Amino acid sequence: MASQDHNQVLRNPGFQELVRQRTRFAWTLSIAMLVIYFGFILLVAFAKPLLATKIGDGVTSLGIILGLGVIVSAFILTGIYVQRANSRFDELTRRLTRELI
Protein backbone atom coordinates (compact mmCIF):
# COMPACT_ATOMS: atom_id res chain seq x y z
CA MET A 1 0.00 0.00 0.00
CA ALA A 2 2.79 2.47 0.89
CA SER A 3 4.47 1.76 -2.44
CA GLN A 4 1.26 2.63 -4.29
CA ASP A 5 0.97 5.89 -2.33
CA HIS A 6 4.59 6.70 -3.11
CA ASN A 7 4.09 6.06 -6.83
CA GLN A 8 0.86 8.08 -6.83
CA VAL A 9 2.73 11.08 -5.42
CA LEU A 10 5.60 10.68 -7.89
CA ARG A 11 3.21 10.57 -10.87
CA ASN A 12 1.17 13.56 -9.70
CA PRO A 13 1.64 16.59 -12.02
CA GLY A 14 1.49 18.94 -9.03
CA PHE A 15 4.39 17.13 -7.35
CA GLN A 16 6.38 17.13 -10.58
CA GLU A 17 5.79 20.88 -10.94
CA LEU A 18 6.89 21.48 -7.33
CA VAL A 19 10.10 19.51 -7.85
CA ARG A 20 10.77 21.23 -11.19
CA GLN A 21 10.28 24.76 -9.76
CA ARG A 22 12.25 24.08 -6.60
CA THR A 23 15.13 22.49 -8.48
CA ARG A 24 15.31 25.29 -11.07
CA PHE A 25 15.25 27.97 -8.36
CA ALA A 26 17.86 26.21 -6.22
CA TRP A 27 20.19 25.84 -9.20
CA THR A 28 19.72 29.51 -10.12
CA LEU A 29 20.67 30.66 -6.62
CA SER A 30 23.57 28.19 -6.47
CA ILE A 31 24.98 29.47 -9.75
CA ALA A 32 24.59 33.06 -8.55
CA MET A 33 26.54 32.25 -5.37
CA LEU A 34 29.25 30.43 -7.32
CA VAL A 35 29.65 33.40 -9.68
CA ILE A 36 29.97 35.76 -6.72
CA TYR A 37 32.43 33.52 -4.88
CA PHE A 38 34.63 32.62 -7.84
CA GLY A 39 34.50 36.21 -9.07
CA PHE A 40 35.98 37.27 -5.74
CA ILE A 41 38.60 34.50 -5.89
CA LEU A 42 39.57 35.57 -9.42
CA LEU A 43 39.95 39.14 -8.20
CA VAL A 44 42.21 37.91 -5.40
CA ALA A 45 44.29 35.97 -7.91
CA PHE A 46 44.53 38.53 -10.70
CA ALA A 47 43.68 41.99 -9.32
CA LYS A 48 45.59 42.30 -6.07
CA PRO A 49 46.37 46.01 -6.58
CA LEU A 50 42.66 46.73 -7.05
CA LEU A 51 41.73 44.86 -3.88
CA ALA A 52 44.53 46.62 -1.97
CA THR A 53 43.01 50.03 -2.76
CA LYS A 54 42.36 51.84 0.52
CA ILE A 55 38.86 53.06 1.29
CA GLY A 56 38.91 56.46 2.97
CA ASP A 57 41.66 57.44 5.41
CA GLY A 58 41.61 54.19 7.41
CA VAL A 59 43.15 50.81 6.87
CA THR A 60 40.10 49.23 5.23
CA SER A 61 40.72 48.09 1.68
CA LEU A 62 38.37 47.33 -1.19
CA GLY A 63 39.20 43.64 -0.71
CA ILE A 64 37.75 43.68 2.82
CA ILE A 65 34.55 45.32 1.58
CA LEU A 66 34.18 42.86 -1.30
CA GLY A 67 34.92 39.92 1.00
CA LEU A 68 32.18 41.07 3.35
CA GLY A 69 29.96 41.44 0.28
CA VAL A 70 30.50 37.78 -0.55
CA ILE A 71 29.43 36.78 2.95
CA VAL A 72 26.43 39.11 2.96
CA SER A 73 25.35 37.87 -0.47
CA ALA A 74 25.21 34.32 0.90
CA PHE A 75 22.82 35.50 3.62
CA ILE A 76 20.73 37.44 1.10
CA LEU A 77 20.46 34.49 -1.28
CA THR A 78 19.50 32.25 1.64
CA GLY A 79 16.81 34.74 2.62
CA ILE A 80 15.49 34.81 -0.94
CA TYR A 81 15.26 31.01 -0.96
CA VAL A 82 13.51 30.93 2.43
CA GLN A 83 11.01 33.56 1.27
CA ARG A 84 10.22 31.56 -1.88
CA ALA A 85 10.03 28.29 0.07
CA ASN A 86 7.66 29.80 2.64
CA SER A 87 5.38 31.29 0.01
CA ARG A 88 5.35 29.59 -3.39
CA PHE A 89 6.70 26.15 -2.50
CA ASP A 90 4.55 25.83 0.62
CA GLU A 91 1.47 26.80 -1.41
CA LEU A 92 2.28 24.12 -4.01
CA THR A 93 2.78 21.60 -1.20
CA ARG A 94 -0.58 22.50 0.39
CA ARG A 95 -2.32 22.19 -2.96
CA LEU A 96 -0.66 18.81 -3.56
CA THR A 97 -1.66 17.60 -0.09
CA ARG A 98 -5.30 18.57 -0.72
CA GLU A 99 -5.26 16.70 -4.05
CA LEU A 100 -3.86 13.52 -2.53
CA ILE A 101 -6.06 13.34 0.56
Side-chain angles (χ1 to χ4, degrees):
M1 182 67 175
S3 177
Q4 290 174 343
D5 292 341
H6 177 77
N7 289 330
Q8 180 185 3
V9 170
L10 291 178
R11 286 192 307 265
N12 186 292
F15 177 75
Q16 293 171 359
E17 179 63 20
L18 171 63
V19 170
R20 188 172 28 259
Q21 282 188 27
R22 193 183 64 199
T23 301
R24 186 179 318 123
F25 191 64
W27 274 110
T28 301
L29 293 180
S30 296
I31 289 168
M33 190 65 232
L34 286 171
V35 167
I36 292 167
Y37 177 74
F38 283 113
F40 180 72
I41 296 301
L42 288 172
L43 283 174
V44 169
F46 299 111
K48 288 179 184 158
L50 174 68
L51 295 178
T53 304
K54 299 290 183 205
I55 304 293
D57 294 330
V59 295
T60 305
S61 68
L62 183 60
I64 297 288
I65 302 299
L66 291 177
L68 287 172
V70 170
I71 294 168
V72 169
S73 68
F75 282 102
I76 290 170
L77 291 175
T78 300
I80 291 169
Y81 181 83
V82 167
Q83 189 278 331
R84 174 74 63 98
N86 288 341
S87 60
R88 179 75 181 137
F89 300 152
D90 281 356
E91 177 57 36
L92 289 172
T93 301
R94 279 189 291 276
R95 196 177 316 150
L96 177 62
T97 303
R98 278 180 266 154
E99 287 177 17
L100 294 174
I101 292 181

